[in-house]
Amino acid sequence: DFAHQAGVIHRDIKPENVMLRKDGALKLMDFGIARFVEESSITMTGSLIGSPAYMSPEQVLERTPDKRSDLFSFGAMLFRLTTGQLAFPGSNPSVILKKVIEGDHPRVLDLVPSANPALAKLIERLLSPSPDSRPSSAQEVAQIFRKILKASSIDEHSSDFSLKHYLEKPAAY
């Protein structure tokens, strides 16, 4: 949300670009292909810019990405974190990109029936092929997460559930 508020679209959100500090803070890294909203998008004929399994349909179709494109990529990352699998697996980039465009992915609850249904619903919204069907901002996604945590009786401010606590005492966590 901070980057989006500054008018920056990351364009390559994936697990490899999220780093975890020792204090438990998550940091989004590698803004190498990020662009300001006002700038024209990059076009490199014959080149693929980004990671196919995490690219939004609008990136694949060479349309101008916006913050909802980053939210799609975040959804693909969250899908992997929740299920242990890629949302759009394939033997080559063409197969993967076709699945991305068509929104052809397994459902979270089919893969992990014990997953929180509200979390699964959020992931489905984030992975919508249509940007208009996705949440409108990272702030909206954060609000949904807070509701999911609250409904699950998890206090987001409790150190018991913090990454810092996990990193300091994994066995106790």
Side-chain angles (χ1 to χ4, degrees):
D1 188 59
F2 183 83
H4 292 165
Q5 292 297 325
V8 176
I9 307 303
H10 189 280
R11 297 168 44 115
D12 196 25
I13 293 177
K14 59 186 177 182
E16 295 84 354
N17 286 340
V18 178
M19 301 297 151
L20 178 62
R21 291 191 330 203
K22 288 181 182 181
D23 67 358
L26 292 171
K27 295 292 179 178
L28 183 58
M29 309 297 282
D30 193 1
F31 281 76
I33 63 171
R35 288 289 172 259
F36 286 100
V37 175
E38 296 83 22
E39 289 183 13
S40 60
S41 62
I42 297 177
T43 12
M44 294 179 69
T45 306
S47 296
L48 187 63
I49 301 174
S51 304
Y54 297 95
M55 289 178 78
S56 69
E58 49 274 23
Q59 285 175 276
V60 174
L61 295 169
E62 295 185 348
R63 296 182 182 144
T64 303
D66 63 19
K67 59 187 174 184
R68 296 169 303 176
S69 299
D70 282 350
L71 296 179
F72 179 94
S73 300
F74 175 70
M77 189 174 76
L78 191 55
F79 183 99
R80 185 169 182 193
L81 290 169
T82 303
T83 68
Q85 299 181 28
L86 291 172
F88 305 100
S91 57
N92 64 59
S94 296
V95 171
I96 295 167
L97 297 175
K98 182 176 186 290
K99 287 181 178 183
V100 167
I101 292 167
E102 295 173 351
D104 179 16
H105 62 84
R107 301 293 167 235
V108 170
L109 292 175
D110 290 342
L111 298 174
V112 184
S114 62
N116 181 303
L119 177 61
K121 181 179 177 182
L122 173 60
I123 293 169
E124 296 299 327
R125 281 187 65 202
L126 289 165
L127 291 178
S128 173
S130 168
D132 293 335
S133 297
R134 296 180 209 141
S136 62
S137 69
Q139 187 175 25
E140 181 183 345
V141 173
Q143 289 170 347
I144 294 168
F145 266 118
R146 285 186 187 98
K147 288 179 184 176
I148 292 169
L149 290 173
K150 186 175 181 179
S152 302
S153 300
I154 296 174
D155 177 3
E156 68 177 292
H157 302 293
S158 169
S159 62
D160 292 341
F161 296 106
S162 72
L163 286 172
K164 181 179 180 184
H165 177 72
Y166 171 76
L167 293 171
E168 288 174 349
K169 301 175 186 176
Y173 188 84

